[in-house]
Amino acid sequence: MGRYVLKRIGSMVITLFVITTFTFIMMHLVPGGPFTSEKKLPPEIERALAEKYNLNDPISTQYFDYLKGVAQGDLGPSFKYKGRDVSGMIGDYFPVSAQLGGIAIAVILLIGVPIGVISALKQGTWLDSFVMLFAILGVTIPSFVLAALMIYVFGVKLKVLPTSRWASPKHMVMPVFALAAYSVAFIARLTRSSMLEVIQQDYIRTARAKGLSEGVVVFKHALKNALIPIVTYIGPMAAGILTGSFVIEKIFAIPGMGRMFVESISNRDYTVIMGVTIFYAAILVVMVFIVDLVYGVIDPRIKIDED
């Protein structure tokens, strides 16, 4: 187990190195520069800014300096916000996105998995048809459309929920459900199909033939094995949700990392774009690693390869 963990940590470091390098190269291939705008700066000011941020150094020097900073947790200064560094900005904005994402993930699991199980157990009934209709609507309606509808109905017409900001539990209701809707529907469909496959296996029939209660058969034997494809989806999904939804945060004026990323693109704040990309990649590789470990807990038949 120890060798496997060290091996995976090594592969994670290599993955982040490749992503950092690729992101750095892409930012330097983009036409223009961080100080390019509609209102052109005087040449002497552009030269002074380039000198201040070491942009006149050779590309190789900039690259190795950036790699050294990333290794030390320093993602560089923001080009647009004086006195702000990217690491500090992520530290300010990420907790909001993590709170939004954490609540959304809880909603996804608490709603998506149970209704998927119920739909599988009630296959062919009106309840199964209702759940599948909900799932189809959930995966086909874009989150920004759902968000706009919720704002119009609950914010404008009924006036029962606030339409923007992130200040109280009432402010969280619409953003959370708009963010979670697609994944709830997808998880419900995935759980249903996985459960239908598992409950037709011979060992489930054997468990029922032994007289075990339906609850034991479903939750101890069937659901545990049906969770494997669900866990596979949850890892990358959680990484994306925890690091912020660009659309939802923009619509509801939530001061999260997704909104910060969108604004950094508009502002051509290259260091922020690179920093957020690397941070998201780090969250993603960690979540995939956790998923691999969870596989062995859910199903002991899945062995960790230490070779």
Side-chain angles (χ1 to χ4, degrees):
M1 184 66 173
R3 287 180 57 193
Y4 172 78
V5 171
L6 290 175
K7 186 177 178 182
R8 285 304 306 271
I9 291 175
S11 67
M12 289 161 61
V13 171
I14 294 172
T15 300
L16 290 175
F17 167 75
V18 171
I19 291 172
T20 301
T21 301
F22 181 76
T23 305
F24 181 88
I25 293 172
M26 289 298 294
M27 285 296 97
H28 280 76
L29 290 177
V30 173
F35 309 115
T36 302
S37 62
E38 293 181 3
K39 185 178 180 180
K40 188 171 178 61
L41 295 174
E44 59 273 14
I45 293 180
E46 280 199 31
R47 285 195 295 269
L49 288 171
E51 187 67 29
K52 177 182 177 181
Y53 293 108
N54 301 318
L55 298 179
N56 291 328
D57 293 346
I59 294 295
S60 58
T61 302
Q62 295 183 47
Y63 171 68
F64 287 113
D65 286 346
Y66 188 71
L67 276 185
K68 181 180 177 181
V70 170
Q72 297 173 347
D74 180 10
L75 298 173
S78 168
F79 290 148
K80 293 297 178 181
Y81 297 99
K82 187 176 180 180
R84 299 295 306 274
D85 61 90
V86 179
S87 300
M89 292 175 69
I90 291 176
D92 290 340
Y93 290 101
F94 176 66
V96 177
S97 292
Q99 186 181 24
L100 170 61
I103 298 171
I105 291 170
V107 169
I108 291 165
L109 297 179
L110 291 175
I111 297 178
V113 174
I115 66 175
V117 171
I118 293 171
S119 180
L121 297 177
K122 301 295 183 180
Q123 184 185 15
T125 66
W126 68 267
L127 188 57
D128 180 32
S129 300
F130 176 78
V131 171
M132 285 302 94
L133 176 62
F134 163 78
I136 292 171
L137 290 174
V139 298
T140 53
I141 299 177
S143 60
F144 65 89
V145 174
L146 180 60
L149 287 173
M150 293 176 70
I151 289 173
Y152 178 73
V153 174
F154 298 107
V156 177
K157 287 296 183 180
L158 299 180
K159 292 183 171 52
V160 293
L161 292 172
T163 59
S164 63
R165 296 193 305 122
W166 187 258
S168 69
K170 289 185 68 175
H171 288 87
M172 300 176 184
V173 175
M174 288 198 290
V176 165
F177 278 95
L179 181 60
Y182 173 85
S183 293
V184 167
F186 190 89
I187 287 285
R189 293 181 65 186
L190 190 60
T191 304
R192 178 183 182 274
S193 61
S194 184
M195 279 292 294
L196 287 175
E197 181 180 349
V198 169
I199 60 179
Q200 293 173 5
Q201 300 297 317
D202 290 339
Y203 69 90
I204 297 296
R205 297 192 187 98
T206 301
R208 283 171 171 159
K210 287 181 177 180
L212 297 178
S213 67
E214 188 66 12
V216 172
V217 171
V218 171
F219 294 105
K220 185 177 180 181
H221 297 285
L223 182 59
K224 187 175 181 180
N225 291 299
L227 284 175
I228 293 175
I230 300 167
V231 170
T232 303
Y233 171 75
I234 288 174
M237 176 209 73
I241 290 179
L242 286 173
T243 50
S245 167
F246 309 146
V247 175
I248 298 301
E249 290 184 2
K250 192 70 175 177
I251 290 175
F252 290 100
I254 297 172
M257 209 166 73
R259 183 182 175 189
M260 178 188 77
F261 186 69
V262 172
E263 291 176 352
S264 70
I265 295 174
S266 302
N267 294 332
R268 302 178 73 93
D269 201 344
Y270 290 173
T271 49
V272 175
I273 297 172
M274 291 191 293
V276 173
T277 302
I278 294 167
F279 184 76
Y280 171 76
I283 296 287
L284 181 59
V285 296
V286 168
M287 293 304 301
V288 171
F289 174 59
I290 293 173
V291 165
D292 288 345
L293 295 181
V294 171
Y295 281 155
V297 175
I298 294 175
D299 190 349
R301 295 174 300 177
I302 300 176
K303 301 297 182 181
I304 292 177
D305 183 13
E306 297 190 11
D307 297 333

